[in-house]
Amino acid sequence: MSIEVRHVSKRFGDFVALDDVSVSIPTGQLTALLGPSGGGKSTLLRVVAGLEQADSGTVEIEGVDATHLRPQERNVGFVFQHYAAFKHLTVARNIAFGLEVRRRPKAEVRRRVQELLELVHLEQFADRLPSQLSGGQRQRMALARALAVEPRVLLLDEPFGALDAKVRKELRDWLRRLHEEVHVTTVFVTHDQEEALEVADEIVVIDAGRVRQVGTPDELYDSPADDFVMRFLGPVTQLGGDLVRPHDIELHTSPVEGATAGTISRLVRVGFEVRIDVTTADQVVLVTATRPQVQALGVEVGTPVWVRPVAGAATVPAAGPAPDDDLVTA
Amino acid sequence: MTAAALDGAGPATSARRPRHPGGLTPASGLGLGVALVWFSLLVLLPLAAVAATTAEGGWGGFWRAVTNEQTAAAIRLTVTQALLVTAVDVVMGTLVAWVLVRDSFPGKRLLELLIDIPFALPTIVAGLVLLSLYGPDGPLGVDVTNRRPAVFLALLFVTTPFVVRTVQPVLAELDPEAEEAAASLGAGRLTIFRRIVLPAITPAIAAGAALAFARGMGEYGSLVLLSGNLPFRTEVASVRILASIESDDLPAAASVATVLLVVSLAVIAAIDLLQRRMVRRG
């Protein structure tokens, strides 16, 4: 294990940011800390970097107890959401900063900066100031700066949070490929479940200062530990007493074993998918299907139907309030 | 890793506004005109008048006036004391601004208020305050009247707020994440201050220093009571100017004024040059 966090708690006044968190981050992998805003994931990352001191608990990095080490001594690369560029220094000198601080020979610094500029595709911007770069370029510069000192772990705090959707998606793919090239243990914080599912090898779901579940994207999506994880990772609807994904519900036009009877109350086509509201005796169930499926069934608003989860569908008992759409995007 | 994927991440799009073919839009032309007229009326015209008055005495008159031993001594004293005070202000002002922005302590609000008092006080009142503190009957038992430290202390008192007030807002706006980034890259506190914080606040320090120096060059009210205005010892240039005017020698007064003006401009330009150098060096 590359990073070992044990029983870490952190309070800011009355606010409990981390509540007895223990988590192991595997070496050489890309791990996402996923959760809603204010859930404690950024605080955990900052505790690992030494930018925040935990009230209790220990942090171990590559087998070394780092709990009481200053950020300078931890040799971690940290990338901030808002780039944290050194505004008065050129791109090349931003990247060189960590090497200059370590008093590496000038020739070595120059060579390494050149390598990194090529790695992040900013060769032709070496002499620009950060203010002359776009957001995506600035973040790539910040990444190169963090990688320059060959850190044991790379920590990224909402690295694409300040970028627009298109650039975000490109940088996400790029980070994945970069990780395959560089192979440094990487932890990134995100509140975007799609980003986590797409990029990460492993996801740690954090909410209200606690780890809710740890697993691969598939494990999390297919067998969520509780209703929170289920709701956070994708769309859900409630069928009877269970939460289930709307695309995991099958629609029948005649009664079948274990199905609930209802009537189609709404039918909306959005691109390739059709969203169907089925009103049963006590709830409205959302079902999503493809257009050919709906056409084959020949259903429309008012048609009586029977709904049940498909075999092997991920379901968890519904606790707490009905699905909150904001939660997914928050 | 394809280059195409990255092109989308964007070359920096220059958000420069399209230039008007003539160089100025009608609105900005009007703005520039008003600014120039205003500046001319308030600054250039009086300066030209001083230069004209100086010229009345001719080059010989100017040279006689400023090489007069007593006058030269006063100018020397003024310039050296103003430089000295500016240097102290730069260090202490930055320190006070740092404490005000970065630390929280009881009485911070009160200190914030107190800093501006040298601004708010009429200078002659400041002189009175200093006289009662550092004068013959002062509670500190330090009597600097009629001695050079009197000039220094008076200038220090009135110029204290400049650097504090220019640096404080810039320091408050500073991105703490840049410092955290530097720390995680291995930079110690001193290196972070020297290489990250200082370059960011240097323009503000320079602006404050220029203001402090200019104020020191022309200060009159706060130091006349304490310094005693002794020729060759504690007499400053502004007192010399007043003396010339009182003896009806307007060209001589204007000559000294011109020297002060030129020195001020030179020092302010030097400060600016130094500042640019430091920021670039990072």
mmCIF file of all heavy atoms in Angstrom, chain A residues 87-89 93 129, chain B residues 195 198-204 206 272-282:
data_model
loop_
_atom_site.group_PDB
_atom_site.id
_atom_site.type_symbol
_atom_site.label_atom_id
_atom_site.label_comp_id
_atom_site.label_asym_id
_atom_site.label_seq_id
_atom_site.Cartn_x
_atom_site.Cartn_y
_atom_site.Cartn_z
ATOM 1 N N LYS A 87 2.401 33.287 -10.484
ATOM 2 C CA LYS A 87 2.004 34.187 -11.571
ATOM 3 C C LYS A 87 3.150 34.976 -12.171
ATOM 4 O O LYS A 87 3.095 35.351 -13.330
ATOM 5 C CB LYS A 87 0.935 35.173 -11.062
ATOM 6 C CG LYS A 87 -0.352 34.500 -10.624
ATOM 7 C CD LYS A 87 -1.428 35.540 -10.364
ATOM 8 C CE LYS A 87 -2.690 34.915 -9.805
ATOM 9 N NZ LYS A 87 -2.626 34.710 -8.358
ATOM 10 N N HIS A 88 4.188 35.245 -11.375
ATOM 11 C CA HIS A 88 5.265 36.102 -11.872
ATOM 12 C C HIS A 88 6.357 35.301 -12.585
ATOM 13 O O HIS A 88 7.293 35.868 -13.101
ATOM 14 C CB HIS A 88 5.871 36.892 -10.724
ATOM 15 C CG HIS A 88 6.430 36.007 -9.647
ATOM 16 N ND1 HIS A 88 5.617 35.229 -8.856
ATOM 17 C CD2 HIS A 88 7.687 35.761 -9.259
ATOM 18 C CE1 HIS A 88 6.372 34.544 -8.018
ATOM 19 N NE2 HIS A 88 7.632 34.846 -8.226
ATOM 20 N N LEU A 89 6.215 33.972 -12.583
ATOM 21 C CA LEU A 89 7.238 33.138 -13.219
ATOM 22 C C LEU A 89 6.708 32.554 -14.525
ATOM 23 O O LEU A 89 5.525 32.239 -14.633
ATOM 24 C CB LEU A 89 7.645 32.002 -12.279
ATOM 25 C CG LEU A 89 8.249 32.424 -10.933
ATOM 26 C CD1 LEU A 89 8.580 31.197 -10.101
ATOM 27 C CD2 LEU A 89 9.491 33.261 -11.148
ATOM 28 N N ARG A 93 9.800 28.245 -15.616
ATOM 29 C CA ARG A 93 10.314 28.465 -14.264
ATOM 30 C C ARG A 93 9.344 27.967 -13.202
ATOM 31 O O ARG A 93 9.747 27.583 -12.106
ATOM 32 C CB ARG A 93 10.653 29.933 -14.060
ATOM 33 C CG ARG A 93 11.766 30.377 -15.002
ATOM 34 C CD ARG A 93 12.504 31.573 -14.494
ATOM 35 N NE ARG A 93 13.113 31.331 -13.199
ATOM 36 C CZ ARG A 93 13.471 32.310 -12.377
ATOM 37 N NH1 ARG A 93 13.254 33.563 -12.712
ATOM 38 N NH2 ARG A 93 14.027 32.026 -11.221
ATOM 39 N N LEU A 129 3.853 33.592 -19.551
ATOM 40 C CA LEU A 129 3.430 33.670 -18.151
ATOM 41 C C LEU A 129 2.125 32.890 -18.008
ATOM 42 O O LEU A 129 1.373 32.748 -18.976
ATOM 43 C CB LEU A 129 3.207 35.134 -17.749
ATOM 44 C CG LEU A 129 4.476 35.970 -17.563
ATOM 45 C CD1 LEU A 129 4.112 37.421 -17.297
ATOM 46 C CD2 LEU A 129 5.324 35.423 -16.418
ATOM 47 N N ARG B 195 10.549 34.006 -2.726
ATOM 48 C CA ARG B 195 10.322 33.704 -4.139
ATOM 49 C C ARG B 195 8.864 33.774 -4.578
ATOM 50 O O ARG B 195 8.573 33.917 -5.764
ATOM 51 C CB ARG B 195 10.900 32.323 -4.478
ATOM 52 C CG ARG B 195 12.427 32.322 -4.379
ATOM 53 C CD ARG B 195 13.042 31.303 -5.282
ATOM 54 N NE ARG B 195 12.514 31.369 -6.642
ATOM 55 C CZ ARG B 195 12.651 30.407 -7.529
ATOM 56 N NH1 ARG B 195 13.278 29.305 -7.200
ATOM 57 N NH2 ARG B 195 12.151 30.520 -8.741
ATOM 58 N N LEU B 198 7.142 37.785 -1.871
ATOM 59 C CA LEU B 198 7.786 39.075 -2.121
ATOM 60 C C LEU B 198 7.589 39.589 -3.559
ATOM 61 O O LEU B 198 7.230 40.751 -3.746
ATOM 62 C CB LEU B 198 9.272 38.978 -1.750
ATOM 63 C CG LEU B 198 9.957 40.305 -1.423
ATOM 64 C CD1 LEU B 198 9.203 41.053 -0.337
ATOM 65 C CD2 LEU B 198 11.400 40.073 -0.991
ATOM 66 N N PRO B 199 7.788 38.742 -4.574
ATOM 67 C CA PRO B 199 7.564 39.252 -5.935
ATOM 68 C C PRO B 199 6.136 39.754 -6.140
ATOM 69 O O PRO B 199 5.907 40.697 -6.893
ATOM 70 C CB PRO B 199 7.832 38.030 -6.819
ATOM 71 C CG PRO B 199 8.727 37.176 -6.020
ATOM 72 C CD PRO B 199 8.322 37.366 -4.593
ATOM 73 N N ALA B 200 5.182 39.135 -5.438
ATOM 74 C CA ALA B 200 3.791 39.544 -5.607
ATOM 75 C C ALA B 200 3.515 40.887 -4.935
ATOM 76 O O ALA B 200 2.684 41.663 -5.406
ATOM 77 C CB ALA B 200 2.856 38.467 -5.052
ATOM 78 N N ILE B 201 4.191 41.149 -3.812
ATOM 79 C CA ILE B 201 3.886 42.396 -3.101
ATOM 80 C C ILE B 201 4.893 43.502 -3.400
ATOM 81 O O ILE B 201 4.699 44.636 -2.967
ATOM 82 C CB ILE B 201 3.779 42.177 -1.572
ATOM 83 C CG1 ILE B 201 5.093 41.664 -0.995
ATOM 84 C CG2 ILE B 201 2.640 41.230 -1.232
ATOM 85 C CD1 ILE B 201 5.082 41.613 0.528
ATOM 86 N N THR B 202 5.945 43.175 -4.157
ATOM 87 C CA THR B 202 6.966 44.199 -4.437
ATOM 88 C C THR B 202 6.408 45.462 -5.115
ATOM 89 O O THR B 202 6.762 46.569 -4.706
ATOM 90 C CB THR B 202 8.109 43.591 -5.278
ATOM 91 O OG1 THR B 202 8.748 42.605 -4.479
ATOM 92 C CG2 THR B 202 9.121 44.633 -5.674
ATOM 93 N N PRO B 203 5.534 45.324 -6.117
ATOM 94 C CA PRO B 203 4.992 46.556 -6.707
ATOM 95 C C PRO B 203 4.271 47.419 -5.670
ATOM 96 O O PRO B 203 4.384 48.646 -5.701
ATOM 97 C CB PRO B 203 4.006 46.043 -7.759
ATOM 98 C CG PRO B 203 4.493 44.681 -8.105
ATOM 99 C CD PRO B 203 5.066 44.127 -6.838
ATOM 100 N N ALA B 204 3.564 46.777 -4.755
ATOM 101 C CA ALA B 204 2.858 47.532 -3.716
ATOM 102 C C ALA B 204 3.858 48.187 -2.760
ATOM 103 O O ALA B 204 3.688 49.343 -2.355
ATOM 104 C CB ALA B 204 1.911 46.608 -2.947
ATOM 105 N N ALA B 206 6.844 49.068 -3.502
ATOM 106 C CA ALA B 206 7.477 50.158 -4.245
ATOM 107 C C ALA B 206 6.574 51.390 -4.288
ATOM 108 O O ALA B 206 7.032 52.516 -4.092
ATOM 109 C CB ALA B 206 7.812 49.695 -5.660
ATOM 110 N N ASP B 272 10.929 52.291 -9.096
ATOM 111 C CA ASP B 272 10.140 51.526 -10.052
ATOM 112 C C ASP B 272 11.006 50.527 -10.826
ATOM 113 O O ASP B 272 10.627 49.377 -11.038
ATOM 114 C CB ASP B 272 9.449 52.487 -11.022
ATOM 115 C CG ASP B 272 8.412 51.767 -11.863
ATOM 116 O OD1 ASP B 272 7.549 51.088 -11.254
ATOM 117 O OD2 ASP B 272 8.478 51.841 -13.094
ATOM 118 N N LEU B 273 12.199 51.003 -11.207
ATOM 119 C CA LEU B 273 13.128 50.158 -11.950
ATOM 120 C C LEU B 273 13.535 48.947 -11.126
ATOM 121 O O LEU B 273 13.528 47.804 -11.589
ATOM 122 C CB LEU B 273 14.363 50.983 -12.300
ATOM 123 C CG LEU B 273 14.990 50.710 -13.653
ATOM 124 C CD1 LEU B 273 14.056 51.150 -14.760
ATOM 125 C CD2 LEU B 273 16.334 51.440 -13.754
ATOM 126 N N LEU B 274 13.856 49.230 -9.870
ATOM 127 C CA LEU B 274 14.288 48.193 -8.931
ATOM 128 C C LEU B 274 13.183 47.156 -8.759
ATOM 129 O O LEU B 274 13.411 45.947 -8.755
ATOM 130 C CB LEU B 274 14.593 48.861 -7.592
ATOM 131 C CG LEU B 274 15.513 48.117 -6.650
ATOM 132 C CD1 LEU B 274 16.926 48.150 -7.205
ATOM 133 C CD2 LEU B 274 15.475 48.761 -5.272
ATOM 134 N N GLN B 275 11.972 47.667 -8.637
ATOM 135 C CA GLN B 275 10.801 46.833 -8.425
ATOM 136 C C GLN B 275 10.600 45.867 -9.597
ATOM 137 O O GLN B 275 10.409 44.670 -9.412
ATOM 138 C CB GLN B 275 9.607 47.770 -8.222
ATOM 139 C CG GLN B 275 8.259 47.134 -8.132
ATOM 140 C CD GLN B 275 7.495 47.296 -9.412
ATOM 141 O OE1 GLN B 275 7.169 46.324 -10.058
ATOM 142 N NE2 GLN B 275 7.204 48.536 -9.804
ATOM 143 N N ARG B 276 10.706 46.411 -10.812
ATOM 144 C CA ARG B 276 10.533 45.568 -12.001
ATOM 145 C C ARG B 276 11.585 44.476 -12.046
ATOM 146 O O ARG B 276 11.307 43.327 -12.379
ATOM 147 C CB ARG B 276 10.656 46.422 -13.275
ATOM 148 C CG ARG B 276 9.391 47.182 -13.585
ATOM 149 C CD ARG B 276 9.686 48.273 -14.594
ATOM 150 N NE ARG B 276 8.664 49.295 -14.522
ATOM 151 C CZ ARG B 276 7.548 49.259 -15.233
ATOM 152 N NH1 ARG B 276 7.329 48.261 -16.048
ATOM 153 N NH2 ARG B 276 6.649 50.215 -15.126
ATOM 154 N N ARG B 277 12.802 44.866 -11.708
ATOM 155 C CA ARG B 277 13.900 43.912 -11.668
ATOM 156 C C ARG B 277 13.577 42.759 -10.741
ATOM 157 O O ARG B 277 13.725 41.590 -11.074
ATOM 158 C CB ARG B 277 15.134 44.642 -11.132
ATOM 159 C CG ARG B 277 16.125 44.943 -12.206
ATOM 160 C CD ARG B 277 17.370 44.170 -11.827
ATOM 161 N NE ARG B 277 18.454 44.413 -12.759
ATOM 162 C CZ ARG B 277 19.294 45.427 -12.632
ATOM 163 N NH1 ARG B 277 19.153 46.299 -11.659
ATOM 164 N NH2 ARG B 277 20.266 45.557 -13.491
ATOM 165 N N MET B 278 13.119 43.115 -9.519
ATOM 166 C CA MET B 278 12.876 42.091 -8.497
ATOM 167 C C MET B 278 11.757 41.147 -8.903
ATOM 168 O O MET B 278 11.830 39.953 -8.680
ATOM 169 C CB MET B 278 12.527 42.745 -7.163
ATOM 170 C CG MET B 278 13.756 43.264 -6.467
ATOM 171 S SD MET B 278 13.388 43.696 -4.781
ATOM 172 C CE MET B 278 12.865 42.142 -4.107
ATOM 173 N N VAL B 279 10.702 41.718 -9.486
ATOM 174 C CA VAL B 279 9.571 40.883 -9.889
ATOM 175 C C VAL B 279 10.010 39.903 -10.974
ATOM 176 O O VAL B 279 9.648 38.739 -10.958
ATOM 177 C CB VAL B 279 8.400 41.752 -10.387
ATOM 178 C CG1 VAL B 279 7.314 40.892 -10.985
ATOM 179 C CG2 VAL B 279 7.848 42.590 -9.255
ATOM 180 N N ARG B 280 10.823 40.414 -11.926
ATOM 181 C CA ARG B 280 11.266 39.548 -13.003
ATOM 182 C C ARG B 280 12.141 38.412 -12.494
ATOM 183 O O ARG B 280 12.067 37.288 -12.965
ATOM 184 C CB ARG B 280 12.035 40.364 -14.037
ATOM 185 C CG ARG B 280 11.283 40.512 -15.344
ATOM 186 C CD ARG B 280 12.203 40.741 -16.507
ATOM 187 N NE ARG B 280 13.292 41.641 -16.187
ATOM 188 C CZ ARG B 280 13.228 42.965 -16.320
ATOM 189 N NH1 ARG B 280 12.128 43.511 -16.734
ATOM 190 N NH2 ARG B 280 14.269 43.721 -16.040
ATOM 191 N N ARG B 281 12.991 38.769 -11.523
ATOM 192 C CA ARG B 281 13.940 37.781 -11.041
ATOM 193 C C ARG B 281 13.237 36.625 -10.327
ATOM 194 O O ARG B 281 13.622 35.474 -10.459
ATOM 195 C CB ARG B 281 14.940 38.447 -10.105
ATOM 196 C CG ARG B 281 16.297 37.813 -10.179
ATOM 197 C CD ARG B 281 17.205 38.463 -9.175
ATOM 198 N NE ARG B 281 16.578 38.579 -7.876
ATOM 199 C CZ ARG B 281 17.054 39.326 -6.894
ATOM 200 N NH1 ARG B 281 18.122 40.044 -7.077
ATOM 201 N NH2 ARG B 281 16.445 39.367 -5.728
ATOM 202 N N GLY B 282 12.175 37.002 -9.554
ATOM 203 C CA GLY B 282 11.363 35.990 -8.848
ATOM 204 C C GLY B 282 12.190 35.064 -8.024
ATOM 205 O O GLY B 282 12.149 33.883 -8.190
#
